[in-house]
Amino acid sequence: MLVRGAVLTVVLLGLVAFSVLLAKVTLTPSPASADLVTANLRPGRSLRQYAEDYTFLAACKQAGGNLLLGVPFGLLLPFFVPRRLRMIRTTLLTAVAMAVVELIQGALVEGRAFDIDDVILNTAGALLGYFVLGRRISHRYYTYTDDSPGPSAEKPEAELKRPPGPAARGKPARTETAPEAARAKAAPTKTVRAKTARTKAARTKAALTKAARTKTGQRDRPKPAATDPAKKRGARTGRTDGPASGGRRATGSGAVRSLLDRLRGR
């Protein structure tokens, strides 16, 4: 955290120093050029003028000076913009800042005028500085600050509430592999399925046992004896078949014999 604050402080001081230099170069009045300069809103017009009317050294001085004015933006702004779309945001910020400077030149400073080619050259210089050096140093800065431990790099609350494992009790902790973790997650589901299958099997077995008992009870229950029509007739006439006769009906000779026995008895 201390290193990060120191780096941001140095970068901020560099940006302030560059802003002062930029204001001195671009916002200084030039009365001698008041009748020569005109506003340029057409991209490329001033560049063609540099190539046609200026000497090689003068053209390099004009174009190269505008390029160099944009390079510090590409070196310093990446430290302050988010990491996502860093190049695009740096480019846009540079273009906006230089457009504001050119507008102030044309409106308030004597001997200065708004030039769209200067904005283009300053933005190109910012991209040049970003690709040459700014991207590397900002990437290293963010990598170092993300990896370095700080006061906020503490254990999560879940880890603090977690009960001590085997390593805390003096036993080596066992690292679970991906298949073991998957099996551990699937274990509760398999247990529930097994319990459900056992419950269904027990219910089916109980239903079959109950049906078998009901069927057995109906089979063992004594059936009501069928009433013999002959016995009914015997009960009405007073005659029954004894066990000696084997259940057969008395014949006519037996009836005559019993009648003779009765007469003898008298």
Side-chain angles (χ1 to χ4, degrees):
M1 194 67 178
L2 184 61
V3 176
R4 182 175 183 178
V7 171
L8 290 179
T9 303
V10 172
V11 173
L12 184 60
L13 291 176
L15 191 60
V16 171
F18 167 71
S19 301
V20 173
L21 178 63
L22 179 65
K24 185 176 179 179
V25 171
T26 58
L27 301 180
T28 302
S30 179
S33 304
D35 297 334
L36 301 176
V37 297
T38 57
N40 175 31
L41 300 177
R42 188 185 304 172
R45 178 182 175 184
S46 296
L47 296 178
R48 286 195 300 270
Q49 186 178 1
Y50 296 156
E52 294 175 358
D53 300 339
Y54 284 63
T55 62
F56 179 77
L57 292 178
C60 291
K61 181 179 178 181
Q62 290 291 335
N66 287 318
L67 280 174
L68 291 177
L69 282 178
V71 170
F73 285 106
L75 298 178
L76 302 177
L77 287 180
F79 289 90
F80 297 99
V81 298
R83 301 180 66 178
R84 185 180 181 184
L85 303 178
R86 185 184 301 162
M87 183 192 70
I88 297 176
R89 295 183 180 185
T90 301
T91 305
L92 292 177
L93 286 175
T94 304
V96 171
M98 298 312 300
V100 171
V101 171
E102 291 293 328
L103 287 173
I104 295 175
Q105 277 185 346
L108 302 177
V109 182
E110 184 182 4
R112 304 281 185 175
F114 179 85
D115 194 342
I116 190 64
D117 286 336
D118 290 347
V119 177
I120 295 174
L121 289 173
N122 297 146
T123 306
L127 285 175
L128 181 63
Y130 176 79
F131 283 112
V132 171
L133 191 59
R135 181 178 60 177
R136 297 179 182 178
I137 59 177
S138 61
H139 178 71
R140 290 183 180 180
Y141 163 75
Y142 280 109
T143 303
Y144 177 77
T145 54
D146 290 344
D147 294 341
S148 61
S152 59
E154 298 177 355
K155 292 184 178 180
E157 186 177 356
E159 294 184 0
L160 295 177
K161 293 183 178 180
R162 186 181 300 173
R169 295 193 297 266
K171 297 180 180 179
R174 180 175 175 268
T175 304
E176 293 185 355
T177 59
E180 291 179 355
R183 286 196 297 269
K185 290 182 180 179
T189 305
K190 292 182 178 180
T191 305
V192 172
R193 290 179 180 175
K195 289 183 179 179
T196 305
R198 287 197 296 269
T199 304
K200 289 183 179 180
R203 290 179 180 175
T204 305
K205 185 176 180 180
L208 293 175
T209 305
K210 186 176 180 180
R213 289 179 180 176
T214 303
K215 187 175 181 180
T216 304
Q218 290 179 356
R219 186 170 61 248
D220 295 342
R221 186 182 300 171
K223 296 183 179 180
T227 306
D228 191 358
K231 290 184 178 181
K232 289 184 179 180
R233 288 195 300 269
R236 286 196 300 268
T237 56
R239 292 180 300 176
T240 57
D241 295 334
S245 61
R248 291 173 297 181
R249 188 177 297 176
T251 60
S253 59
V256 174
R257 196 175 293 132
S258 71
L259 180 61
L260 290 177
D261 292 337
R262 290 180 181 180
L263 290 176
R264 288 176 184 174
R266 289 180 180 180

